[in-house]
Amino acid sequence: MAAPGNNAAELHIDPSEVKKEILNRYPAKVARRRARQIVVNKVDEGEQVPEIHANTRTIPGILTMRGCAYAGCKGVVLGPTRDILQITHGPIGCGFYSWLTRRNQTRPKSLDDPNYMPYALSTDMQEEEIIFGGEKKLKKAIQEAIELFHPKAIGIFSTCPVGLIGDDVHAVAREMEEKYPEVNIFGFSCEGYKGVSQSAGHHIANNKVFTDVVGQLEAPKEGSFRLNLLGEYNIGGDAFEIERITEACGLTVHSTFSGNSEYDEFASAHTADLNVVMCHRSINYMAEMMEKRYGIPWFKINFVGARATAKSLRKIAAYFGDATLTEKVEKVIAEEMAPVEKVRQEVEARCRGKLAMLFVGGSRAHHYQELFEEIGMKTISAGYEFAHRDDYEGRKVIPTITVDADTRNIEELTVGPDGTRFRPRKGAAEIERLRQEGFRFNDYEGLMPQMADNSLVIDDLNHYETEVLIEKYKPDIFCAGIKEKYVIQKGGIPLKQLHSYDYSGPYAGFRGAINFYREIDRLVNSKVFRFVKAPWQENPELAGSYGWNG
Ligand code: SF4
């Protein structure tokens, strides 16, 4: 076993052997499937990487890190929106456990602005509704919510039982909208079991927000360089930091899908001049559909990491091609990078060579590698919970992805140009010139081409495999979510939550990078985790008793 704090240069571990050891414990059929989801990375010329299996069902019995479609739709995509009133149709547990757990922050423009995020509204289905149907209760809940809050819009989120008993949330939404025409009411068929992970919920959310909200309002914001920021969820205040930077540069963020967002911004998002995409997996559908219907080009950016932020700002400035904007962007970068560099150097001196593992999200396990790199840390293993092959291998593989029953389960909208509002923001010649300059429109290179050869890339990691990775590599830090946190920390390894950031943040942008460097420094250089003894290390036999004395 590698000693704690071993650095990358001293590590003599064959990742193929680790993979073999992981698979040895599985029954043959399970091992065959997992073998295709655990890949030793190798980047060839032209960014060719090995194929990885992703977006396939978790094998029953495996303790997965994944969430459900409802979590992806309500928790991830719509959760950060403050003035769409969200009603979970189902038993109370789904609503309660998706209530602000991702620490999305929001900043209403005035004290009178509605903010429904502190509320967890649910129909609280009981046995009676499971037997006789819950539509009546849902209508009552909508009516009560309208009378109490007078919202502009209501989203209804379906949980597993709703699909199983056949409640039609869309029919209820239509009926209630007729009764209350001033409220935009729409339902999401995001029952937890749809698809193989929360990824299905992202797609369902994108479709409905696109058909029922985007394009409802003609209210372009003032500004010469107006863009939508897609796939940024304002966890721990990330969007606030990005807004601070973009504003200083002279850019207008028309809407963020969906960190610190509001209904009117979604509804008029089709008036912006550019879409930039942060989290590819959760929102690429929206970028594609907005381009087809309204003519808004999109490209991938990343505001996680100080260097990545500077690169993304330069890319946006180059797209608009305005000398004053470029000058302003360079000025902001120069001013912001000075304090970042000071802290970075201090922290790098203590962190260089340390090892990280990242298993989170659908772009985060990629983005955060840039932050670790900035302080000299190496990511030896990474993977996603809900990604598809293109998030790993790049969008060039999309035509070769097999469409299975689970994918067919999610509606794919056919979108064409809007008769009156389609307006290509750039002519074909201009787009071609930008391509020649290195712009990759409608593209994402994926996680694997940027990871080192011989790193282990694992899709849908589980608890058992996590323990093997820790045992073999003894990383200096592991980044995942709350379900993994305590198991990993009991193994003596510090864990940083990258879904909710624990209690900290922001980590995006320049000030966010400083926060992250300092926090990682404290975590990887603290000795406290090495003193942790898991209960099973001293007492491998677990004994328990029932609390019933009758
Ligand atoms: S899987 Fe179903 S029951 Fe569980 S949280 Fe998701 S929607 Fe609710």
Side-chain angles (χ1 to χ4, degrees):
M1 184 195 293
N6 245 4
N7 72 34
E10 295 160 0
L11 207 68
H12 299 291
I13 296 174
D14 179 354
S16 314
E17 287 299 318
V18 178
K19 176 176 173 177
K20 215 187 279 172
E21 186 168 333
I22 287 174
L23 298 177
N24 265 344
R25 282 277 194 94
Y26 289 129
K29 207 170 149 192
V30 176
R32 268 201 304 281
R33 276 185 64 177
R34 283 304 288 156
R36 296 189 292 173
Q37 290 172 282
I38 303 174
V39 169
V40 178
N41 198 34
K42 173 111 187 65
V43 190
D44 290 344
E45 278 172 29
E47 294 182 357
Q48 285 300 328
V49 289
E51 184 176 324
I52 185 165
H53 258 235
N55 196 35
T56 51
R57 285 182 189 201
T58 302
I59 299 154
I62 278 182
L63 275 176
T64 174
M65 299 162 95
R66 284 174 165 173
C68 68
Y70 162 80
C73 183
K74 197 261 183 190
V76 175
V77 179
L78 271 299
T81 309
R82 64 176 166 263
D83 62 352
I84 296 179
L85 196 132
Q86 305 182 17
I87 300 179
T88 295
H89 187 31
I92 197 67
C94 314
F96 184 81
Y97 288 106
S98 63
W99 182 27
L100 279 184
T101 46
R102 272 169 54 92
R103 295 187 63 247
N104 310 108
Q105 299 185 6
T106 197
R107 197 180 273 155
K109 293 192 176 92
S110 77
L111 287 175
D112 300 327
D113 269 10
N115 175 14
Y116 308 126
M117 281 170 61
Y119 298 95
L121 298 151
S122 165
T123 48
D124 183 21
M125 272 178 138
Q126 304 289 321
E127 203 172 352
E128 195 189 323
E129 284 86 44
I130 299 294
I131 297 166
F132 299 108
E135 292 182 9
K136 233 164 73 188
K137 199 170 187 189
L138 176 60
K139 285 179 210 166
K140 211 166 151 232
I142 293 171
Q143 184 174 340
E144 202 178 313
I146 292 174
E147 282 162 9
L148 270 172
F149 296 101
H150 313 291
K152 280 183 188 169
I154 294 181
I156 307 154
F157 298 84
S158 308
T159 58
C160 294
V162 170
L164 296 173
I165 64 174
D167 275 4
D168 186 344
V169 296
H170 307 287
V172 171
R174 280 194 300 273
E175 189 186 321
M176 294 308 281
E177 212 174 57
E178 269 168 34
K179 199 167 167 196
Y180 299 98
E182 71 286 5
V183 189
N184 185 354
I185 306 172
F186 38 87
F188 296 89
S189 290
C190 57
E191 291 86 351
Y193 55 76
K194 282 258 177 87
V196 302
S197 71
Q198 57 265 57
S199 168
H202 305 146
H203 197 163
I204 292 162
N206 279 223
N207 286 351
K208 203 63 176 171
V209 172
F210 182 75
T211 56
D212 285 46
V213 183
V214 174
Q216 299 293 314
L217 193 66
E218 297 302 328
K221 279 191 186 171
E222 293 286 315
S224 310
F225 314 107
R226 297 170 312 113
L227 56 114
N228 297 315
L229 175 58
L230 309 186
E232 156 48 51
Y233 300 107
N234 202 20
I235 294 161
D238 277 353
F240 298 152
E241 167 66 357
I242 298 170
E243 284 163 16
R244 182 188 72 82
I245 296 167
T246 45
E247 205 181 307
C249 291
L251 296 163
T252 303
V253 175
H254 182 98
S255 64
T256 301
F257 284 68
S258 49
N260 191 31
S261 60
E262 53 182 38
Y263 175 81
D264 285 358
E265 291 171 346
F266 286 172
S268 54
H270 64 293
T271 61
D273 302 315
L274 169 68
N275 280 337
V276 290
V277 172
M278 278 275 282
C279 172
H280 175 258
R281 183 70 267 141
S282 62
I283 206 112
N284 74 81
Y285 320 96
M286 180 63 79
E288 288 280 305
M289 293 189 288
M290 280 172 81
E291 175 156 34
K292 284 182 188 147
R293 181 161 294 174
Y294 301 108
I296 308 174
W298 72 268
F299 53 76
K300 175 82 176 66
I301 49 96
N302 174 23
F303 283 123
V304 174
R307 289 172 192 162
T309 300
K311 199 169 145 194
S312 297
L313 290 173
R314 287 188 174 118
K315 199 169 170 184
I316 295 167
Y319 167 83
F320 285 113
D322 179 272
T324 322
L325 173 67
T326 306
E327 205 178 298
K328 231 171 167 181
V329 162
E330 288 304 331
K331 193 166 165 274
V332 168
I333 293 172
E335 280 169 10
E336 297 282 340
M337 278 306 262
V340 168
E341 195 51 23
K342 193 167 165 283
V343 180
R344 192 197 67 75
Q345 283 178 17
E346 263 172 47
V347 170
E348 188 189 15
R350 290 187 290 267
C351 293
R352 173 150 289 283
K354 294 198 184 287
L355 306 176
M357 288 186 175
L358 291 102
F359 289 90
V360 60
S363 278
R364 280 176 194 267
H366 184 183
H367 291 162
Y368 277 83
Q369 294 190 31
E370 304 221 24
L371 264 172
F372 282 118
E373 250 173 58
E374 287 174 2
I375 47 172
M377 287 180 61
K378 187 177 171 186
T379 303
I380 40 171
S381 189
Y384 297 129
E385 301 152 81
F386 53 79
H388 301 198
R389 273 184 60 206
D390 41 316
D391 302 292
Y392 288 103
E393 301 170 52
R395 282 181 72 93
K396 59 182 178 293
V397 303
I398 289 179
T400 66
I401 294 177
T402 320
V403 181
D404 57 15
D406 288 312
T407 314
R408 271 192 211 102
N409 207 10
I410 313 302
E411 191 186 12
E412 191 76 51
L413 300 181
T414 309
V415 177
D418 184 285
T420 52
R421 295 181 294 177
F422 180 80
R423 178 172 61 84
R425 293 341 193 233
K426 299 259 179 204
E430 175 71 352
I431 291 279
E432 190 45 39
R433 186 186 63 75
L434 288 165
R435 277 193 214 280
Q436 297 294 333
E437 284 175 16
F439 265 77
R440 293 171 71 154
F441 288 101
N442 312 55
D443 200 11
Y444 172 45
E445 74 274 24
L447 164 88
M448 289 163 77
Q450 286 202 354
M451 281 192 76
D453 283 357
N454 275 328
S455 44
L456 259 185
V457 182
I458 307 179
D459 185 59
D460 189 19
L461 187 78
N462 58 53
H463 267 189
Y464 152 65
E465 292 167 7
T466 304
E467 285 174 24
V468 178
L469 290 181
I470 289 176
E471 167 90 12
K472 292 286 153 199
Y473 287 96
K474 274 277 175 213
D476 297 282
I477 193 155
F478 201 108
C479 299
I482 189 71
K483 297 200 287 292
E484 297 75 46
K485 184 178 174 86
Y486 299 102
V487 172
I488 289 165
Q489 291 192 337
K490 281 174 188 168
I493 307 292
L495 181 134
K496 180 74 209 159
Q497 282 198 76
L498 286 187
H499 293 296
S500 68
Y501 297 174
D502 294 299
Y503 315 101
S504 189
Y507 297 141
F510 299 111
R511 292 184 186 166
I514 294 178
N515 290 341
F516 195 75
Y517 302 157
R518 289 202 167 118
E519 209 166 315
I520 295 305
D521 180 21
R522 280 197 294 269
L523 280 165
V524 300
N525 289 308
S526 161
K527 293 189 176 57
V528 70
F529 292 97
R530 292 193 213 153
F531 297 121
V532 173
K533 276 248 172 290
W536 58 83
Q537 282 172 285
E538 284 168 352
N539 209 350
E541 286 293 315
L542 286 182
S545 61
Y546 292 104
W548 182 62
N549 298 317

